Amino acid sequence: MKLQRMNRRALALGALAVSGALALTACGSDETGDTGSGDTSASAKAGNIDCGDASGQLQASGSSAQKNAIDAWMKQFAAACKSVQINYNPTGSGAGITAFTQGQTAFAGSDSALKPEEITASKKVCSNGQAIDLPMVGGPIAVGFNVPGVDALTLDAATLAQIFDSKITNWNDEAIAKLNPDAKLPDLKIQAFHRSDESGTTDNFTKYLKAAAPDDWSYEPGKSWEAKGGQSASGSSGLAQQVTQTSGAISYFELSYAEGGIKTVDIKTEAAEPVKATVENATAAIGAAKVVGTGKDMALELDYTPSAAGAYPLTLVTYEIVCDKGNKAETLPATKAFLNYIASEDGQGLLAEAGYAPMPDEIITKVRDTISGLS
């Protein structure tokens, strides 16, 4: 399974900003345009985008996990397609799917595949069709921490489960110390933060805890936080901001939100060595995913308990949710133009730069074929 690999560089823009609507107006369907950065390679990539006859406004919302990827994609798309205005609001996966099934948006971003009841609801807005999952963005869910005097930290699923269920409440707890014999753990209260909004990141994080530590995590996985105690914040950017400014904090968010300087936990698995949260290590997990969706739906099944060396267990995939048939005629050209670009070699190539993992070749090839057939 071949994945496009590029050297990661931090994309800090928007990482700690409060999530809000992103609205960019594109320019120049036949021109590479000037992105304002003087980056000729960026202009070249923008020149490869096929805008077709796309025009008008395109409303989309959902996953905040992919916001930094959307930012990077938007920069290129805006340099290629004038007469298109795309608004992506990172409201969270749950809110994004709701907005889509209510006919408010052309597509949604979700870090969890559609549930049967959501597919049923989508049939009201997808004329003679239904919503489908298109896997587009991958990457690790980093567990960020802010513990004075501690630069490296290893935790396992059981310890994480107890921390986020308020059963381990101090940083010098014996369970943490056992996993970190060389660390000088302070006598400091743990400040665990979780998402206040419905989130696919929360869904994947709790799926990991349930799969890898069933004896310590009694809650069913889901987009809404169910465990006791802790504090909350909205969006991945909100959690990252809390970790940055709160001594003793720990939380979970996509790796790109940690690249402003937040330290991340190494996860102990069945492998001999703890696994770091990196794009490369997330790639191993995504590469082992299975397509479990039917028809044109491409929902994936991830392994949250890998034993292979270097396979990071806390990995998510963000899907773009769209109608297979019955998309609104006025927004279909713009929807296909944007989705075609982000699924293209150039679009996927930007992901590693932004702290995400591109989709495996065989998966993204099927995604491209599906996009071409949207109607």
Side-chain angles (χ1 to χ4, degrees):
M1 184 175 299
K2 181 180 178 182
L3 294 169
Q4 302 173 39
R5 296 179 179 271
M6 302 177 66
N7 293 328
R8 274 197 301 131
R9 65 172 184 261
L11 185 77
L13 62 100
L16 299 181
V18 176
S19 292
L22 172 68
L24 290 178
T25 303
C27 56
S29 60
D30 296 319
E31 303 167 10
T32 58
D34 183 1
T35 63
S37 66
D39 185 348
T40 56
S41 63
S43 295
K45 290 178 181 178
N48 292 332
I49 298 173
D50 182 4
C51 304
D53 56 356
S55 63
Q57 293 191 352
L58 191 66
Q59 303 293 332
S61 66
S63 166
S64 65
Q66 69 170 352
K67 180 182 180 297
N68 291 339
I70 291 285
D71 286 347
W73 283 329
M74 283 288 202
K75 182 179 180 181
Q76 305 306 322
F77 194 79
C81 303
K82 67 181 180 181
S83 76
V84 178
Q85 180 175 319
I86 298 179
N87 302 280
Y88 183 81
N89 193 354
T91 54
S93 299
I97 291 175
T98 298
F100 178 78
T101 56
Q102 291 179 349
Q104 299 172 9
T105 54
F107 71 90
S110 176
D111 307 316
S112 298
L114 291 161
K115 296 178 180 179
E117 59 268 27
E118 292 169 338
I119 294 176
T120 298
S122 74
K123 294 179 180 180
K124 296 179 181 179
V125 295
C126 301
S127 180
N128 297 317
Q130 66 178 45
I132 55 174
D133 299 285
L134 299 178
M136 200 72 73
V137 183
I141 300 174
V143 179
F145 68 95
N146 180 352
V147 183
V150 179
D151 293 326
L153 187 68
T154 296
L155 297 173
D156 58 16
T159 307
L160 281 168
Q162 292 179 61
I163 286 173
F164 281 91
D165 197 21
S166 302
K167 294 177 180 177
I168 293 178
T169 58
N170 216 65
W171 279 111
N172 63 356
D173 188 274
E174 181 179 354
I176 301 176
K178 185 177 180 180
L179 290 167
N180 299 273
D182 297 326
K184 295 181 179 180
L185 298 168
D187 182 8
L188 177 67
K189 182 181 178 180
I190 294 174
Q191 306 283 350
F193 287 88
H194 58 265
R195 288 280 287 271
S196 60
D197 53 321
E198 286 199 353
S199 161
T201 310
T202 294
D203 189 25
N204 282 275
F205 183 60
T206 53
K207 282 179 179 176
Y208 160 71
L209 295 178
K210 188 68 173 179
D215 293 337
D216 297 285
W217 191 258
S218 60
Y219 310 95
E220 288 303 313
K223 294 185 179 73
S224 298
W225 188 260
E226 301 292 340
K228 302 173 183 177
Q231 302 177 64
S232 65
S234 179
S236 294
S237 59
L239 293 182
Q241 187 175 41
Q242 291 296 334
V243 171
T244 299
Q245 65 189 23
T246 306
S247 179
I250 185 170
S251 191
Y252 57 93
F253 34 76
E254 295 67 42
L255 181 63
S256 64
Y257 287 90
E259 294 191 329
I262 297 176
K263 300 179 181 69
T264 62
V265 171
D266 295 345
I267 305 294
K268 180 174 174 55
T269 66
E270 294 301 318
E273 298 295 330
V275 186
K276 294 184 179 297
T278 68
V279 169
E280 293 77 15
N281 290 341
T283 288
I286 296 172
K290 299 178 181 178
V291 177
V292 294
T294 59
K296 294 182 178 180
D297 187 85
M298 294 191 62
L300 302 177
E301 182 178 77
L302 298 171
D303 181 5
Y304 294 101
T305 58
S307 58
Y312 188 73
L314 251 175
T315 301
L316 64 71
V317 169
T318 300
Y319 302 92
E320 310 309 333
I321 308 296
V322 68
C323 296
D324 59 353
K325 297 179 182 178
N327 291 278
K328 295 179 181 179
E330 63 270 24
T331 57
L332 181 59
T335 299
K336 293 182 71 171
F338 185 66
L339 294 181
N340 271 321
Y341 163 60
I342 67 179
S344 71
E345 183 176 349
D346 286 342
Q348 289 289 296
L350 288 180
L351 289 177
E353 300 178 27
Y356 299 89
M359 290 295 100
D361 280 352
E362 57 266 38
I363 290 177
I364 202 64
T365 297
K366 292 178 182 178
V367 169
R368 292 167 187 157
D369 290 342
T370 301
I371 293 172
S372 67
L374 296 179
S375 63

